[in-house]
Amino acid sequence: MRFAIACLAGLLSTSVPVAQAAPTPVGLGDFFRLKRAADPQIAPDASRIAYVVYAPDVRTDSYGSAIRLVSVRDARDVPIAADAGMPRWSPDGRALAFVRFGAAGAELVLAEARELGGVASTLRSVAQLPVAPRELAWSPDGTRLAFLGVASKPWRAPVAYSPPEGANWAPRPLVFENGGFQTLNEQLPAEASEVRLFVVDAARGTVQRVAAADLGDSLPLAGSGLAWSHDGRRLLTSLARRPDAWQNVLQGALYSVDVDSGAVGT
């Protein structure tokens, strides 16, 4: 018996070469198979988490996004909507709002989220949005949603000109009158921008701009967010609010906007 144990120990301690496959270098095509999860949103009762999956599309050389819902209890994971993002739970947890992107532009959609897996059959289009939202937030009473959008406006050209009819001229140049251009996870814009705030009635689907809000020549900061005050009367967000916002994206402040009057404060 001792001899058998000694032999077994000797066999286990003997180094036996194992054939290994040659390592395969990472190629450019491998990056088109990488996906990432982002923007997790926990339901008010902490039973579910909505999140966004970004996946590259090799055919269009771009990223697509889809919303999924996972159960905290058993890790069940189900798809909610394709070509969508920005999931936000209603305060009572009965609905999940998100933005769906299509040929007609951005659309605000509500999903009844009472039953995991039954959400996809209960999607309801709320409203077509005038601009693609950068931030989205429910009001405390769950009756309205506010969103922050960036509207484009033409860059000022150094010389005003108009191409002849039928001409195919190069795009107009971008003009910066001082140095020190900075950017933080942002692409150089093709046009200048101005920030606009909107409020959507969740039941009726009416979209109303907070018209008096003077937020022109502004830029949302990275991860600026959008939040309602507890009484539902004001919206808060952080902005780079200056004419050269694109050149100074790291310089901003927290602003408060009255939903009814549009008055802006800090």
Side-chain angles (χ1 to χ4, degrees), residues 1 13 36 42 63 93 112 125 163 199 201 203 212-213 220 233 238 245 253 257:
M1 183 67 175
S13 63
R36 67 183 179 92
I42 302 174
Y63 271 86
E112 294 294 332
S125 175
V199 173
D201 187 294
R233 298 175 60 183
S238 55
V257 181

Side-chain angles (χ1 to χ4, degrees), residues 66-69 77-82 117 119-120:
I67 296 176
R68 299 187 67 89
L69 191 65
D77 194 325
V78 296
I80 301 300
V119 178

Side-chain angles (χ1 to χ4, degrees), residues 112-240:
E112 294 294 332
R114 297 174 185 172
E115 181 180 339
L116 185 67
V119 178
S121 61
T122 58
L123 300 184
R124 176 172 67 87
S125 175
V126 177
Q128 198 71 30
L129 305 180
V131 295
R134 294 282 293 268
E135 302 289 348
L136 181 68
W138 282 91
S139 63
D141 61 4
T143 62
R144 297 171 293 173
L145 291 110
F147 69 92
L148 180 151
V150 178
S152 299
K153 60 181 181 180
W155 281 99
R156 181 184 61 78
V159 178
Y161 62 87
S162 297
E165 185 177 354
N168 185 22
W169 286 13
R172 293 188 177 191
L174 305 184
V175 180
F176 297 97
E177 296 180 342
N178 54 53
F181 181 87
Q182 302 174 26
T183 181
L184 181 64
N185 295 328
E186 293 284 354
Q187 293 182 348
L188 186 66
E191 296 177 310
S193 306
E194 64 176 4
V195 172
R196 296 177 182 176
L197 280 173
F198 298 85
V199 173
V200 184
D201 187 294
R204 295 180 294 176
T206 54
V207 181
Q208 181 179 358
R209 181 182 174 187
V210 185
D214 181 16
L215 299 174
D217 293 322
S218 300
L219 181 71
L221 300 180
S224 59
L226 180 65
W228 291 77
S229 60
H230 289 298
D231 59 9
R233 298 175 60 183
R234 303 186 71 82
L235 290 165
L236 296 95
T237 189
S238 55
L239 303 169

